[in-house]
Amino acid sequence: FTLPVTAAFGTVLSIVGKGAGGWAIAQNASQVIQVGSVGSTAGVGGSVASTNRYDSIDLICTTANTTWTVLGAPQGNLTIV
């Protein structure tokens, strides 16, 4: 998955895995994903990925176009780059 280039404050995205393996969320320029106190690397070099088939995550845009924050606790083990 890749975050949308434009997103209004309050936009919500949900990802639920299905099929083999986990999922990965790629970012565009200047974007960051905040998971609690840990943030991904800003821009296209950053990402959040899961490892298991049914892992899930809910994100809300907290700064238009650039910052996404996890709502509640994600299910599964995450790798934050």
Side-chain angles (χ1 to χ4, degrees), residues 27-31 42-44 65-66:
Q27 302 169 181
N28 295 294
S30 301
Q31 291 182 327
V44 295
N65 307 326
T66 62

Side-chain angles (χ1 to χ4, degrees), residues 6-79:
T6 59
F9 171 82
T11 300
V12 176
L13 298 175
S14 296
I15 298 171
V16 178
K18 184 167 172 84
W23 42 258
I25 304 170
Q27 302 169 181
N28 295 294
S30 301
Q31 291 182 327
V32 69
I33 300 170
Q34 199 65 39
V35 182
S37 63
V38 178
S40 62
T41 302
V44 295
S47 64
V48 173
S50 75
T51 56
N52 297 309
R53 181 176 184 179
Y54 293 112
D55 290 347
S56 63
I57 193 168
D58 294 315
L59 302 171
I60 186 167
C61 182
T62 52
T63 302
N65 307 326
T66 62
T67 305
W68 293 84
T69 303
V70 174
L71 289 168
Q75 290 183 319
N77 297 317
L78 300 180
T79 302

